[in-house]
């Protein structure tokens, strides 16, 4: 991660489930200390699991491991159960209100029904719907539907994507 920041990457995508938040936080601290970047230049996304029994504490744990005072974007990692999803999403809303999280969204929600729940039934709707997209899986119907709802449908491109297709101006690290 340090090498990525040194190379100019500024979008970092991690997750509690990945088990690497501490290492990511260490690299960020090192890069800031070395003058490679400032906190304000980095956009940090992390994700919470839907089966958490303590989502408020998980947010604090992510902040501590990342060594940050706030997270730019926090996503509900995937659909679990309606009860679990709602509890985690409500904790994310509470964290927005206290300044621990700047924006919230959802990840790996692939149907209009599951996405609509978050758009329609919560005080703060998701600003991002982050889903996998690649040549063999496009899910254009959800993308088009989300565009009409004015949500950003952020595509996660296949890990095997060749370098020749990446844009230098959109450097991101993680995932």
């Amino acid at each position: 991660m340090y090498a990525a920041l040194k190379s100019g990457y500024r979008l970092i995508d991690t997750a509690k489930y990945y088990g690497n938040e501490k290492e990511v936080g260490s690299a960020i601290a090192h890069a800031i200390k070395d003058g490679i970047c400032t906190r304000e230049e980095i956009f940090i996304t992390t994700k919470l699991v839907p089966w958490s029994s303590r989502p408020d504490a998980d947010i604090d744990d992510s902040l501590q491991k990342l060594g940050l005072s706030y997270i730019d974007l926090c996503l509900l990692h995937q659909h679990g159960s309606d009860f679990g999803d709602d509890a985690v999403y409500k904790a994310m809303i509470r964290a927005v209100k206290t300044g621990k999280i700047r924006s919230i969204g959802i990840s790996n929600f692939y149907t209009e029904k599951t996405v609509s729940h978050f758009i329609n039934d919560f005080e703060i709707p998701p600003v991002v719907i982050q889903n996998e997209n690649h040549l063999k899986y496009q899910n254009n119907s959800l993308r088009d539907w989300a565009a009409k709802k004015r949500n950003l449908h952020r595509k996660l491109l296949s890990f095997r994507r060749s370098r020749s297709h990446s844009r230098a101006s959109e450097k991101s690290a993680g995932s």
Side-chain angles (χ1 to χ4, degrees):
M1 186 57 55
Y2 179 82
L5 290 166
K6 194 171 181 179
S7 296
Y9 287 75
R10 295 298 182 261
L11 173 62
I12 298 173
D13 185 78
T14 187
K16 188 155 198 62
Y17 185 75
Y18 302 161
N20 66 353
E21 288 178 326
K22 186 175 181 181
E23 292 79 8
V24 168
S26 177
I28 291 168
H30 189 189
I32 291 171
K33 180 179 173 258
D34 289 353
I36 291 169
C37 56
T38 65
R39 168 62 182 98
E40 294 73 26
E41 294 172 327
I42 305 169
F43 192 92
I44 311 293
T45 301
T46 196
K47 302 173 207 71
L48 299 176
V49 296
W51 55 83
S52 173
S53 60
R54 47 182 216 107
D56 295 283
D58 285 346
I59 292 166
D60 290 338
D61 185 57
S62 289
L63 284 166
Q64 186 272 325
K65 286 181 178 173
L66 289 165
L68 303 174
S69 59
Y70 67 91
I71 295 166
D72 296 288
L73 174 64
C74 189
L75 305 172
L76 177 57
H77 203 148
Q78 65 193 50
H79 179 56
S81 68
D82 291 339
F83 175 77
D85 291 353
D86 288 1
V88 173
Y89 200 81
K90 287 175 184 176
M92 291 165 46
I93 290 172
R94 287 190 295 275
V96 167
K97 291 179 177 181
T98 61
K100 294 177 182 180
I101 295 172
R102 298 246 168 120
S103 296
I104 58 176
I106 55 178
S107 178
N108 300 312
F109 284 75
Y110 292 98
T111 67
E112 289 178 24
K113 179 182 177 188
T114 57
V115 172
S116 289
H117 172 59
F118 294 95
I119 292 173
N120 298 324
D121 298 339
F122 290 94
E123 179 182 356
I124 301 175
V127 297
V128 171
I129 304 165
Q130 181 190 63
N131 286 338
E132 174 186 14
N133 279 272
H134 48 76
L135 290 175
K136 294 186 180 197
Y137 182 76
Q138 297 288 311
N139 200 0
N140 292 331
S141 63
L142 182 64
R143 183 204 60 217
D144 295 345
W145 176 85
K148 290 177 190 169
K149 297 288 186 185
R150 297 189 177 188
N151 282 82
L152 174 61
H153 186 258
R154 181 170 154 198
K155 296 178 181 182
L156 287 183
L157 301 177
S158 171
F159 186 73
R160 288 171 266 199
R161 181 175 146 186
S162 79
R163 288 184 180 203
S164 64
H165 292 102
S166 65
R167 290 185 236 162
S169 64
E170 294 182 356
K171 289 184 176 183
S172 66
S175 291

